[in-house]
Amino acid sequence: MKRYKKVIVPLGISDSDDAAISWASKVSKMANSQEVLFIHAVEVDDIPEATKEKYPWLLKPLDQTLLDRMKAKVEAIWDGNPEAKIDFKVTDSKSIVLSILEEVLKQESDLVIIGRDAFGSDVAVRLARKAPCSVMAVPTGIDRTLEKIVVANDFSEQTVTAFDVATAFAEAEGLSEIDSLHIFSVGQLTHRAAIPESELIQISLDHAMEVHKEHLNSVESKEISILPNEAHSKLVPQGIVSEARKMEADLIVTGCRGRNTVVALLLGSNAEELLKISPVPVIAVKEKGTGQKLIEALLGS
């Protein structure tokens, strides 16, 4: 697994970081990562001039104490690639997301691993929308067992990259198979159809199974077997989560929409919801460099 050589791990310096640090350790070993940057971004508001004059200490650099706390937390958990270069950085900005994105561009990062609850799930979603690389959101308290990998498959071209990442993880972990999960919905068709809903679901399932099989024939999986799974749900993200629980998934891999500048910001509502509600880590997969020119423009690079 060679794609994740440069990894960034944003930290809120709380217990919500622990699982992300642990998973970053695992990924660094699996990918033989060369560089891992732990960053704590402090969101600050504009300080009125009168306040600056009255309290000049507000303009002093961020306290070394924050760096020390970061290092202590990471050192207590980290057991990743011993050859990786580990760095720490504290930065302040009007936006936590923009601070992290600036470092992603500067470091030419391949992957961001963030504790979903360290900053609130919206930060993980906003990063996944804008980052020119893949983003992994890790729920609090989850261990790093990796025995079952599930790819959320909507039959789009973006799933090709998702399968590439999933099979790479499987190979690195010594797994022989991964699961492809397709959730279909017939919600808006039921009151238009002249047949019972149960029959309509069965027809849709039969069609999904056929299309799923054809789609997987076009996926390059190397020596890893891909097992197709289909299920009906009125809400796709909730259906993925429900089925993933039944399958005892340890990791969900989902593709992001498109590679061009505009579409890069459209993560996709299903992927966004998965990043928020999944009980296991989710990787929102992007080709490195996706939307980078737009992000550079936003940051004034």
Side-chain angles (χ1 to χ4, degrees), residues 125 152-154 183 234-241 252 254-255 257 267-278 282:
V125 170
N153 190 351
D154 60 0
I183 300 295
K234 293 180 179 179
L235 298 172
V236 172
Q238 284 75 9
I240 293 172
V241 167
I252 297 174
T254 182
R257 293 185 182 175
L267 177 61
S269 59
N270 291 337
E272 290 191 3
E273 192 66 13
L274 273 179
L275 286 167
K276 292 180 181 180
I277 69 173
S278 173
V282 174

mmCIF file with all atom_site columns, all heavy atoms in Angstrom, residues 125 152-154 183 234-241 252 254-255 257 267-278 282:
data_model
loop_
_atom_site.group_PDB
_atom_site.id
_atom_site.type_symbol
_atom_site.label_atom_id
_atom_site.label_alt_id
_atom_site.label_comp_id
_atom_site.label_asym_id
_atom_site.label_entity_id
_atom_site.label_seq_id
_atom_site.pdbx_PDB_ins_code
_atom_site.Cartn_x
_atom_site.Cartn_y
_atom_site.Cartn_z
_atom_site.occupancy
_atom_site.B_iso_or_equiv
_atom_site.pdbx_formal_charge
_atom_site.auth_seq_id
_atom_site.auth_comp_id
_atom_site.auth_asym_id
_atom_site.auth_atom_id
_atom_site.pdbx_PDB_model_num
ATOM 1   N N   . VAL A 1 125 ? -16.420 16.491 7.509  1.00 0.00 ? 125 VAL A N   1
ATOM 2   C CA  . VAL A 1 125 ? -17.132 16.622 6.242  1.00 0.00 ? 125 VAL A CA  1
ATOM 3   C C   . VAL A 1 125 ? -16.568 17.774 5.416  1.00 0.00 ? 125 VAL A C   1
ATOM 4   O O   . VAL A 1 125 ? -16.332 17.640 4.207  1.00 0.00 ? 125 VAL A O   1
ATOM 5   C CB  . VAL A 1 125 ? -18.643 16.831 6.484  1.00 0.00 ? 125 VAL A CB  1
ATOM 6   C CG1 . VAL A 1 125 ? -19.355 17.210 5.194  1.00 0.00 ? 125 VAL A CG1 1
ATOM 7   C CG2 . VAL A 1 125 ? -19.260 15.566 7.057  1.00 0.00 ? 125 VAL A CG2 1
ATOM 8   N N   . ALA A 1 152 ? -18.739 1.027  -0.141 1.00 0.00 ? 152 ALA A N   1
ATOM 9   C CA  . ALA A 1 152 ? -20.076 1.505  -0.494 1.00 0.00 ? 152 ALA A CA  1
ATOM 10  C C   . ALA A 1 152 ? -20.105 1.721  -2.004 1.00 0.00 ? 152 ALA A C   1
ATOM 11  O O   . ALA A 1 152 ? -19.436 2.608  -2.530 1.00 0.00 ? 152 ALA A O   1
ATOM 12  C CB  . ALA A 1 152 ? -20.382 2.805  0.245  1.00 0.00 ? 152 ALA A CB  1
ATOM 13  N N   . ASN A 1 153 ? -20.874 0.898  -2.704 1.00 0.00 ? 153 ASN A N   1
ATOM 14  C CA  . ASN A 1 153 ? -20.811 0.853  -4.167 1.00 0.00 ? 153 ASN A CA  1
ATOM 15  C C   . ASN A 1 153 ? -22.109 1.381  -4.788 1.00 0.00 ? 153 ASN A C   1
ATOM 16  O O   . ASN A 1 153 ? -23.171 0.762  -4.662 1.00 0.00 ? 153 ASN A O   1
ATOM 17  C CB  . ASN A 1 153 ? -20.565 -0.592 -4.621 1.00 0.00 ? 153 ASN A CB  1
ATOM 18  C CG  . ASN A 1 153 ? -20.247 -0.675 -6.100 1.00 0.00 ? 153 ASN A CG  1
ATOM 19  O OD1 . ASN A 1 153 ? -20.358 0.301  -6.834 1.00 0.00 ? 153 ASN A OD1 1
ATOM 20  N ND2 . ASN A 1 153 ? -19.856 -1.855 -6.548 1.00 0.00 ? 153 ASN A ND2 1
ATOM 21  N N   . ASP A 1 154 ? -22.002 2.534  -5.457 1.00 0.00 ? 154 ASP A N   1
ATOM 22  C CA  . ASP A 1 154 ? -23.164 3.076  -6.164 1.00 0.00 ? 154 ASP A CA  1
ATOM 23  C C   . ASP A 1 154 ? -23.016 2.901  -7.677 1.00 0.00 ? 154 ASP A C   1
ATOM 24  O O   . ASP A 1 154 ? -23.737 3.526  -8.454 1.00 0.00 ? 154 ASP A O   1
ATOM 25  C CB  . ASP A 1 154 ? -23.367 4.553  -5.821 1.00 0.00 ? 154 ASP A CB  1
ATOM 26  C CG  . ASP A 1 154 ? -22.178 5.425  -6.208 1.00 0.00 ? 154 ASP A CG  1
ATOM 27  O OD1 . ASP A 1 154 ? -21.183 4.886  -6.757 1.00 0.00 ? 154 ASP A OD1 1
ATOM 28  O OD2 . ASP A 1 154 ? -22.237 6.642  -5.976 1.00 0.00 ? 154 ASP A OD2 1
ATOM 29  N N   . ILE A 1 183 ? -26.715 -0.261 -1.834 1.00 0.00 ? 183 ILE A N   1
ATOM 30  C CA  . ILE A 1 183 ? -28.018 0.004  -1.239 1.00 0.00 ? 183 ILE A CA  1
ATOM 31  C C   . ILE A 1 183 ? -28.910 0.644  -2.299 1.00 0.00 ? 183 ILE A C   1
ATOM 32  O O   . ILE A 1 183 ? -28.527 1.631  -2.931 1.00 0.00 ? 183 ILE A O   1
ATOM 33  C CB  . ILE A 1 183 ? -27.897 0.951  -0.025 1.00 0.00 ? 183 ILE A CB  1
ATOM 34  C CG1 . ILE A 1 183 ? -26.994 0.340  1.051  1.00 0.00 ? 183 ILE A CG1 1
ATOM 35  C CG2 . ILE A 1 183 ? -29.279 1.266  0.541  1.00 0.00 ? 183 ILE A CG2 1
ATOM 36  C CD1 . ILE A 1 183 ? -27.523 -0.921 1.689  1.00 0.00 ? 183 ILE A CD1 1
ATOM 37  N N   . LYS A 1 234 ? -34.768 2.983  2.505  1.00 0.00 ? 234 LYS A N   1
ATOM 38  C CA  . LYS A 1 234 ? -35.319 4.249  2.037  1.00 0.00 ? 234 LYS A CA  1
ATOM 39  C C   . LYS A 1 234 ? -34.277 5.357  2.093  1.00 0.00 ? 234 LYS A C   1
ATOM 40  O O   . LYS A 1 234 ? -34.330 6.325  1.319  1.00 0.00 ? 234 LYS A O   1
ATOM 41  C CB  . LYS A 1 234 ? -36.552 4.617  2.865  1.00 0.00 ? 234 LYS A CB  1
ATOM 42  C CG  . LYS A 1 234 ? -37.728 3.666  2.645  1.00 0.00 ? 234 LYS A CG  1
ATOM 43  C CD  . LYS A 1 234 ? -38.935 4.062  3.471  1.00 0.00 ? 234 LYS A CD  1
ATOM 44  C CE  . LYS A 1 234 ? -40.090 3.104  3.204  1.00 0.00 ? 234 LYS A CE  1
ATOM 45  N NZ  . LYS A 1 234 ? -41.294 3.450  4.016  1.00 0.00 ? 234 LYS A NZ  1
ATOM 46  N N   . LEU A 1 235 ? -33.335 5.230  3.017  1.00 0.00 ? 235 LEU A N   1
ATOM 47  C CA  . LEU A 1 235 ? -32.244 6.197  3.146  1.00 0.00 ? 235 LEU A CA  1
ATOM 48  C C   . LEU A 1 235 ? -30.930 5.449  2.965  1.00 0.00 ? 235 LEU A C   1
ATOM 49  O O   . LEU A 1 235 ? -30.600 4.573  3.765  1.00 0.00 ? 235 LEU A O   1
ATOM 50  C CB  . LEU A 1 235 ? -32.296 6.877  4.519  1.00 0.00 ? 235 LEU A CB  1
ATOM 51  C CG  . LEU A 1 235 ? -33.562 7.694  4.822  1.00 0.00 ? 235 LEU A CG  1
ATOM 52  C CD1 . LEU A 1 235 ? -33.562 8.151  6.268  1.00 0.00 ? 235 LEU A CD1 1
ATOM 53  C CD2 . LEU A 1 235 ? -33.664 8.887  3.880  1.00 0.00 ? 235 LEU A CD2 1
ATOM 54  N N   . VAL A 1 236 ? -30.179 5.814  1.941  1.00 0.00 ? 236 VAL A N   1
ATOM 55  C CA  . VAL A 1 236 ? -28.979 5.049  1.582  1.00 0.00 ? 236 VAL A CA  1
ATOM 56  C C   . VAL A 1 236 ? -27.917 5.043  2.681  1.00 0.00 ? 236 VAL A C   1
ATOM 57  O O   . VAL A 1 236 ? -27.412 3.970  3.046  1.00 0.00 ? 236 VAL A O   1
ATOM 58  C CB  . VAL A 1 236 ? -28.400 5.551  0.245  1.00 0.00 ? 236 VAL A CB  1
ATOM 59  C CG1 . VAL A 1 236 ? -27.050 4.892  -0.037 1.00 0.00 ? 236 VAL A CG1 1
ATOM 60  C CG2 . VAL A 1 236 ? -29.377 5.260  -0.899 1.00 0.00 ? 236 VAL A CG2 1
ATOM 61  N N   . PRO A 1 237 ? -27.525 6.196  3.235  1.00 0.00 ? 237 PRO A N   1
ATOM 62  C CA  . PRO A 1 237 ? -26.468 6.159  4.267  1.00 0.00 ? 237 PRO A CA  1
ATOM 63  C C   . PRO A 1 237 ? -26.857 5.297  5.469  1.00 0.00 ? 237 PRO A C   1
ATOM 64  O O   . PRO A 1 237 ? -26.043 4.523  5.970  1.00 0.00 ? 237 PRO A O   1
ATOM 65  C CB  . PRO A 1 237 ? -26.311 7.634  4.673  1.00 0.00 ? 237 PRO A CB  1
ATOM 66  C CG  . PRO A 1 237 ? -26.853 8.405  3.520  1.00 0.00 ? 237 PRO A CG  1
ATOM 67  C CD  . PRO A 1 237 ? -27.965 7.581  2.970  1.00 0.00 ? 237 PRO A CD  1
ATOM 68  N N   . GLN A 1 238 ? -28.111 5.437  5.905  1.00 0.00 ? 238 GLN A N   1
ATOM 69  C CA  . GLN A 1 238 ? -28.562 4.640  7.040  1.00 0.00 ? 238 GLN A CA  1
ATOM 70  C C   . GLN A 1 238 ? -28.596 3.155  6.671  1.00 0.00 ? 238 GLN A C   1
ATOM 71  O O   . GLN A 1 238 ? -28.320 2.294  7.509  1.00 0.00 ? 238 GLN A O   1
ATOM 72  C CB  . GLN A 1 238 ? -29.953 5.105  7.488  1.00 0.00 ? 238 GLN A CB  1
ATOM 73  C CG  . GLN A 1 238 ? -29.956 6.415  8.269  1.00 0.00 ? 238 GLN A CG  1
ATOM 74  C CD  . GLN A 1 238 ? -29.730 7.647  7.400  1.00 0.00 ? 238 GLN A CD  1
ATOM 75  O OE1 . GLN A 1 238 ? -29.728 7.555  6.164  1.00 0.00 ? 238 GLN A OE1 1
ATOM 76  N NE2 . GLN A 1 238 ? -29.561 8.795  8.026  1.00 0.00 ? 238 GLN A NE2 1
ATOM 77  N N   . GLY A 1 239 ? -28.917 2.865  5.412  1.00 0.00 ? 239 GLY A N   1
ATOM 78  C CA  . GLY A 1 239 ? -28.885 1.481  4.954  1.00 0.00 ? 239 GLY A CA  1
ATOM 79  C C   . GLY A 1 239 ? -27.486 0.907  4.965  1.00 0.00 ? 239 GLY A C   1
ATOM 80  O O   . GLY A 1 239 ? -27.272 -0.247 5.359  1.00 0.00 ? 239 GLY A O   1
ATOM 81  N N   . ILE A 1 240 ? -26.517 1.719  4.542  1.00 0.00 ? 240 ILE A N   1
ATOM 82  C CA  . ILE A 1 240 ? -25.117 1.273  4.561  1.00 0.00 ? 240 ILE A CA  1
ATOM 83  C C   . ILE A 1 240 ? -24.675 0.976  5.990  1.00 0.00 ? 240 ILE A C   1
ATOM 84  O O   . ILE A 1 240 ? -24.050 -0.054 6.266  1.00 0.00 ? 240 ILE A O   1
ATOM 85  C CB  . ILE A 1 240 ? -24.201 2.340  3.928  1.00 0.00 ? 240 ILE A CB  1
ATOM 86  C CG1 . ILE A 1 240 ? -24.504 2.480  2.428  1.00 0.00 ? 240 ILE A CG1 1
ATOM 87  C CG2 . ILE A 1 240 ? -22.729 1.987  4.139  1.00 0.00 ? 240 ILE A CG2 1
ATOM 88  C CD1 . ILE A 1 240 ? -23.794 3.639  1.761  1.00 0.00 ? 240 ILE A CD1 1
ATOM 89  N N   . VAL A 1 241 ? -25.011 1.886  6.904  1.00 0.00 ? 241 VAL A N   1
ATOM 90  C CA  . VAL A 1 241 ? -24.628 1.700  8.303  1.00 0.00 ? 241 VAL A CA  1
ATOM 91  C C   . VAL A 1 241 ? -25.277 0.445  8.885  1.00 0.00 ? 241 VAL A C   1
ATOM 92  O O   . VAL A 1 241 ? -24.625 -0.358 9.558  1.00 0.00 ? 241 VAL A O   1
ATOM 93  C CB  . VAL A 1 241 ? -25.009 2.939  9.142  1.00 0.00 ? 241 VAL A CB  1
ATOM 94  C CG1 . VAL A 1 241 ? -24.914 2.633  10.642 1.00 0.00 ? 241 VAL A CG1 1
ATOM 95  C CG2 . VAL A 1 241 ? -24.109 4.109  8.789  1.00 0.00 ? 241 VAL A CG2 1
ATOM 96  N N   . ILE A 1 252 ? -15.259 1.329  6.345  1.00 0.00 ? 252 ILE A N   1
ATOM 97  C CA  . ILE A 1 252 ? -16.083 1.594  5.169  1.00 0.00 ? 252 ILE A CA  1
ATOM 98  C C   . ILE A 1 252 ? -15.303 2.512  4.240  1.00 0.00 ? 252 ILE A C   1
ATOM 99  O O   . ILE A 1 252 ? -14.757 3.541  4.675  1.00 0.00 ? 252 ILE A O   1
ATOM 100 C CB  . ILE A 1 252 ? -17.427 2.244  5.545  1.00 0.00 ? 252 ILE A CB  1
ATOM 101 C CG1 . ILE A 1 252 ? -18.252 1.288  6.415  1.00 0.00 ? 252 ILE A CG1 1
ATOM 102 C CG2 . ILE A 1 252 ? -18.205 2.632  4.296  1.00 0.00 ? 252 ILE A CG2 1
ATOM 103 C CD1 . ILE A 1 252 ? -19.539 1.896  6.945  1.00 0.00 ? 252 ILE A CD1 1
ATOM 104 N N   . THR A 1 254 ? -15.607 4.765  0.751  1.00 0.00 ? 254 THR A N   1
ATOM 105 C CA  . THR A 1 254 ? -16.566 5.353  -0.178 1.00 0.00 ? 254 THR A CA  1
ATOM 106 C C   . THR A 1 254 ? -15.858 6.321  -1.115 1.00 0.00 ? 254 THR A C   1
ATOM 107 O O   . THR A 1 254 ? -14.886 6.976  -0.726 1.00 0.00 ? 254 THR A O   1
ATOM 108 C CB  . THR A 1 254 ? -17.702 6.082  0.584  1.00 0.00 ? 254 THR A CB  1
ATOM 109 O OG1 . THR A 1 254 ? -18.652 6.598  -0.351 1.00 0.00 ? 254 THR A OG1 1
ATOM 110 C CG2 . THR A 1 254 ? -17.169 7.237  1.414  1.00 0.00 ? 254 THR A CG2 1
ATOM 111 N N   . GLY A 1 255 ? -16.323 6.384  -2.341 1.00 0.00 ? 255 GLY A N   1
ATOM 112 C CA  . GLY A 1 255 ? -15.747 7.301  -3.306 1.00 0.00 ? 255 GLY A CA  1
ATOM 113 C C   . GLY A 1 255 ? -16.358 8.683  -3.186 1.00 0.00 ? 255 GLY A C   1
ATOM 114 O O   . GLY A 1 255 ? -17.457 8.848  -2.645 1.00 0.00 ? 255 GLY A O   1
ATOM 115 N N   . ARG A 1 257 ? -17.313 12.336 -5.423 1.00 0.00 ? 257 ARG A N   1
ATOM 116 C CA  . ARG A 1 257 ? -17.703 12.672 -6.784 1.00 0.00 ? 257 ARG A CA  1
ATOM 117 C C   . ARG A 1 257 ? -16.589 13.378 -7.525 1.00 0.00 ? 257 ARG A C   1
ATOM 118 O O   . ARG A 1 257 ? -15.899 14.237 -6.981 1.00 0.00 ? 257 ARG A O   1
ATOM 119 C CB  . ARG A 1 257 ? -18.922 13.604 -6.767 1.00 0.00 ? 257 ARG A CB  1
ATOM 120 C CG  . ARG A 1 257 ? -20.188 12.962 -6.260 1.00 0.00 ? 257 ARG A CG  1
ATOM 121 C CD  . ARG A 1 257 ? -21.323 13.938 -6.401 1.00 0.00 ? 257 ARG A CD  1
ATOM 122 N NE  . ARG A 1 257 ? -22.569 13.381 -5.876 1.00 0.00 ? 257 ARG A NE  1
ATOM 123 C CZ  . ARG A 1 257 ? -23.693 14.072 -5.789 1.00 0.00 ? 257 ARG A CZ  1
ATOM 124 N NH1 . ARG A 1 257 ? -23.724 15.324 -6.180 1.00 0.00 ? 257 ARG A NH1 1
ATOM 125 N NH2 . ARG A 1 257 ? -24.779 13.507 -5.306 1.00 0.00 ? 257 ARG A NH2 1
ATOM 126 N N   . LEU A 1 267 ? -19.019 16.524 -2.391 1.00 0.00 ? 267 LEU A N   1
ATOM 127 C CA  . LEU A 1 267 ? -18.605 15.243 -1.839 1.00 0.00 ? 267 LEU A CA  1
ATOM 128 C C   . LEU A 1 267 ? -19.658 14.177 -2.089 1.00 0.00 ? 267 LEU A C   1
ATOM 129 O O   . LEU A 1 267 ? -19.345 13.018 -2.323 1.00 0.00 ? 267 LEU A O   1
ATOM 130 C CB  . LEU A 1 267 ? -18.345 15.407 -0.338 1.00 0.00 ? 267 LEU A CB  1
ATOM 131 C CG  . LEU A 1 267 ? -17.959 14.180 0.472  1.00 0.00 ? 267 LEU A CG  1
ATOM 132 C CD1 . LEU A 1 267 ? -16.668 13.588 -0.047 1.00 0.00 ? 267 LEU A CD1 1
ATOM 133 C CD2 . LEU A 1 267 ? -17.840 14.541 1.939  1.00 0.00 ? 267 LEU A CD2 1
ATOM 134 N N   . GLY A 1 268 ? -20.911 14.591 -2.086 1.00 0.00 ? 268 GLY A N   1
ATOM 135 C CA  . GLY A 1 268 ? -22.020 13.656 -2.229 1.00 0.00 ? 268 GLY A CA  1
ATOM 136 C C   . GLY A 1 268 ? -22.728 13.496 -0.899 1.00 0.00 ? 268 GLY A C   1
ATOM 137 O O   . GLY A 1 268 ? -22.081 13.294 0.126  1.00 0.00 ? 268 GLY A O   1
ATOM 138 N N   . SER A 1 269 ? -24.042 13.602 -0.901 1.00 0.00 ? 269 SER A N   1
ATOM 139 C CA  . SER A 1 269 ? -24.785 13.581 0.362  1.00 0.00 ? 269 SER A CA  1
ATOM 140 C C   . SER A 1 269 ? -24.630 12.260 1.104  1.00 0.00 ? 269 SER A C   1
ATOM 141 O O   . SER A 1 269 ? -24.584 12.234 2.339  1.00 0.00 ? 269 SER A O   1
ATOM 142 C CB  . SER A 1 269 ? -26.268 13.857 0.089  1.00 0.00 ? 269 SER A CB  1
ATOM 143 O OG  . SER A 1 269 ? -26.807 12.889 -0.801 1.00 0.00 ? 269 SER A OG  1
ATOM 144 N N   . ASN A 1 270 ? -24.531 11.145 0.375  1.00 0.00 ? 270 ASN A N   1
ATOM 145 C CA  . ASN A 1 270 ? -24.380 9.843  1.038  1.00 0.00 ? 270 ASN A CA  1
ATOM 146 C C   . ASN A 1 270 ? -23.036 9.742  1.749  1.00 0.00 ? 270 ASN A C   1
ATOM 147 O O   . ASN A 1 270 ? -22.945 9.273  2.885  1.00 0.00 ? 270 ASN A O   1
ATOM 148 C CB  . ASN A 1 270 ? -24.530 8.718  0.018  1.00 0.00 ? 270 ASN A CB  1
ATOM 149 C CG  . ASN A 1 270 ? -25.949 8.608  -0.504 1.00 0.00 ? 270 ASN A CG  1
ATOM 150 O OD1 . ASN A 1 270 ? -26.905 9.041  0.133  1.00 0.00 ? 270 ASN A OD1 1
ATOM 151 N ND2 . ASN A 1 270 ? -26.090 8.050  -1.695 1.00 0.00 ? 270 ASN A ND2 1
ATOM 152 N N   . ALA A 1 271 ? -21.974 10.182 1.062  1.00 0.00 ? 271 ALA A N   1
ATOM 153 C CA  . ALA A 1 271 ? -20.644 10.151 1.671  1.00 0.00 ? 271 ALA A CA  1
ATOM 154 C C   . ALA A 1 271 ? -20.582 11.080 2.882  1.00 0.00 ? 271 ALA A C   1
ATOM 155 O O   . ALA A 1 271 ? -20.004 10.734 3.918  1.00 0.00 ? 271 ALA A O   1
ATOM 156 C CB  . ALA A 1 271 ? -19.589 10.554 0.642  1.00 0.00 ? 271 ALA A CB  1
ATOM 157 N N   . GLU A 1 272 ? -21.189 12.264 2.761  1.00 0.00 ? 272 GLU A N   1
ATOM 158 C CA  . GLU A 1 272 ? -21.183 13.209 3.875  1.00 0.00 ? 272 GLU A CA  1
ATOM 159 C C   . GLU A 1 272 ? -21.883 12.611 5.097  1.00 0.00 ? 272 GLU A C   1
ATOM 160 O O   . GLU A 1 272 ? -21.390 12.711 6.219  1.00 0.00 ? 272 GLU A O   1
ATOM 161 C CB  . GLU A 1 272 ? -21.865 14.507 3.467  1.00 0.00 ? 272 GLU A CB  1
ATOM 162 C CG  . GLU A 1 272 ? -21.071 15.323 2.464  1.00 0.00 ? 272 GLU A CG  1
ATOM 163 C CD  . GLU A 1 272 ? -21.637 16.708 2.274  1.00 0.00 ? 272 GLU A CD  1
ATOM 164 O OE1 . GLU A 1 272 ? -22.623 17.059 2.962  1.00 0.00 ? 272 GLU A OE1 1
ATOM 165 O OE2 . GLU A 1 272 ? -21.107 17.452 1.438  1.00 0.00 ? 272 GLU A OE2 1
ATOM 166 N N   . GLU A 1 273 ? -23.034 11.996 4.873  1.00 0.00 ? 273 GLU A N   1
ATOM 167 C CA  . GLU A 1 273 ? -23.779 11.429 5.992  1.00 0.00 ? 273 GLU A CA  1
ATOM 168 C C   . GLU A 1 273 ? -23.020 10.260 6.614  1.00 0.00 ? 273 GLU A C   1
ATOM 169 O O   . GLU A 1 273 ? -23.021 10.094 7.844  1.00 0.00 ? 273 GLU A O   1
ATOM 170 C CB  . GLU A 1 273 ? -25.161 10.982 5.517  1.00 0.00 ? 273 GLU A CB  1
ATOM 171 C CG  . GLU A 1 273 ? -26.130 10.632 6.634  1.00 0.00 ? 273 GLU A CG  1
ATOM 172 C CD  . GLU A 1 273 ? -26.529 11.815 7.491  1.00 0.00 ? 273 GLU A CD  1
ATOM 173 O OE1 . GLU A 1 273 ? -26.262 12.968 7.093  1.00 0.00 ? 273 GLU A OE1 1
ATOM 174 O OE2 . GLU A 1 273 ? -27.087 11.589 8.575  1.00 0.00 ? 273 GLU A OE2 1
ATOM 175 N N   . LEU A 1 274 ? -22.354 9.464  5.790  1.00 0.00 ? 274 LEU A N   1
ATOM 176 C CA  . LEU A 1 274 ? -21.557 8.354  6.318  1.00 0.00 ? 274 LEU A CA  1
ATOM 177 C C   . LEU A 1 274 ? -20.456 8.854  7.239  1.00 0.00 ? 274 LEU A C   1
ATOM 178 O O   . LEU A 1 274 ? -20.190 8.269  8.295  1.00 0.00 ? 274 LEU A O   1
ATOM 179 C CB  . LEU A 1 274 ? -20.936 7.551  5.172  1.00 0.00 ? 274 LEU A CB  1
ATOM 180 C CG  . LEU A 1 274 ? -21.763 6.433  4.552  1.00 0.00 ? 274 LEU A CG  1
ATOM 181 C CD1 . LEU A 1 274 ? -20.983 5.791  3.421  1.00 0.00 ? 274 LEU A CD1 1
ATOM 182 C CD2 . LEU A 1 274 ? -22.158 5.398  5.592  1.00 0.00 ? 274 LEU A CD2 1
ATOM 183 N N   . LEU A 1 275 ? -19.790 9.937  6.834  1.00 0.00 ? 275 LEU A N   1
ATOM 184 C CA  . LEU A 1 275 ? -18.730 10.505 7.661  1.00 0.00 ? 275 LEU A CA  1
ATOM 185 C C   . LEU A 1 275 ? -19.262 10.939 9.028  1.00 0.00 ? 275 LEU A C   1
ATOM 186 O O   . LEU A 1 275 ? -18.539 10.932 10.018 1.00 0.00 ? 275 LEU A O   1
ATOM 187 C CB  . LEU A 1 275 ? -18.092 11.704 6.958  1.00 0.00 ? 275 LEU A CB  1
ATOM 188 C CG  . LEU A 1 275 ? -17.175 11.372 5.775  1.00 0.00 ? 275 LEU A CG  1
ATOM 189 C CD1 . LEU A 1 275 ? -16.868 12.622 4.971  1.00 0.00 ? 275 LEU A CD1 1
ATOM 190 C CD2 . LEU A 1 275 ? -15.879 10.725 6.256  1.00 0.00 ? 275 LEU A CD2 1
ATOM 191 N N   . LYS A 1 276 ? -20.533 11.300 9.078  1.00 0.00 ? 276 LYS A N   1
ATOM 192 C CA  . LYS A 1 276 ? -21.129 11.782 10.321 1.00 0.00 ? 276 LYS A CA  1
ATOM 193 C C   . LYS A 1 276 ? -21.640 10.658 11.217 1.00 0.00 ? 276 LYS A C   1
ATOM 194 O O   . LYS A 1 276 ? -21.554 10.752 12.441 1.00 0.00 ? 276 LYS A O   1
ATOM 195 C CB  . LYS A 1 276 ? -22.297 12.726 10.010 1.00 0.00 ? 276 LYS A CB  1
ATOM 196 C CG  . LYS A 1 276 ? -21.905 14.043 9.382  1.00 0.00 ? 276 LYS A CG  1
ATOM 197 C CD  . LYS A 1 276 ? -23.153 14.884 9.121  1.00 0.00 ? 276 LYS A CD  1
ATOM 198 C CE  . LYS A 1 276 ? -22.821 16.202 8.469  1.00 0.00 ? 276 LYS A CE  1
ATOM 199 N NZ  . LYS A 1 276 ? -24.042 17.013 8.220  1.00 0.00 ? 276 LYS A NZ  1
ATOM 200 N N   . ILE A 1 277 ? -22.196 9.600  10.622 1.00 0.00 ? 277 ILE A N   1
ATOM 201 C CA  . ILE A 1 277 ? -22.955 8.636  11.434 1.00 0.00 ? 277 ILE A CA  1
ATOM 202 C C   . ILE A 1 277 ? -22.349 7.245  11.513 1.00 0.00 ? 277 ILE A C   1
ATOM 203 O O   . ILE A 1 277 ? -22.800 6.431  12.314 1.00 0.00 ? 277 ILE A O   1
ATOM 204 C CB  . ILE A 1 277 ? -24.404 8.507  10.920 1.00 0.00 ? 277 ILE A CB  1
ATOM 205 C CG1 . ILE A 1 277 ? -24.440 7.823  9.539  1.00 0.00 ? 277 ILE A CG1 1
ATOM 206 C CG2 . ILE A 1 277 ? -25.088 9.863  10.887 1.00 0.00 ? 277 ILE A CG2 1
ATOM 207 C CD1 . ILE A 1 277 ? -25.859 7.499  9.050  1.00 0.00 ? 277 ILE A CD1 1
ATOM 208 N N   . SER A 1 278 ? -21.338 6.956  10.716 1.00 0.00 ? 278 SER A N   1
ATOM 209 C CA  . SER A 1 278 ? -20.807 5.589  10.703 1.00 0.00 ? 278 SER A CA  1
ATOM 210 C C   . SER A 1 278 ? -20.220 5.208  12.060 1.00 0.00 ? 278 SER A C   1
ATOM 211 O O   . SER A 1 278 ? -19.500 5.991  12.683 1.00 0.00 ? 278 SER A O   1
ATOM 212 C CB  . SER A 1 278 ? -19.719 5.452  9.632  1.00 0.00 ? 278 SER A CB  1
ATOM 213 O OG  . SER A 1 278 ? -19.097 4.181  9.733  1.00 0.00 ? 278 SER A OG  1
ATOM 214 N N   . VAL A 1 282 ? -14.420 5.692  8.334  1.00 0.00 ? 282 VAL A N   1
ATOM 215 C CA  . VAL A 1 282 ? -14.804 5.849  6.934  1.00 0.00 ? 282 VAL A CA  1
ATOM 216 C C   . VAL A 1 282 ? -13.695 6.579  6.203  1.00 0.00 ? 282 VAL A C   1
ATOM 217 O O   . VAL A 1 282 ? -13.193 7.606  6.676  1.00 0.00 ? 282 VAL A O   1
ATOM 218 C CB  . VAL A 1 282 ? -16.110 6.659  6.795  1.00 0.00 ? 282 VAL A CB  1
ATOM 219 C CG1 . VAL A 1 282 ? -16.416 6.944  5.320  1.00 0.00 ? 282 VAL A CG1 1
ATOM 220 C CG2 . VAL A 1 282 ? -17.272 5.924  7.430  1.00 0.00 ? 282 VAL A CG2 1
#
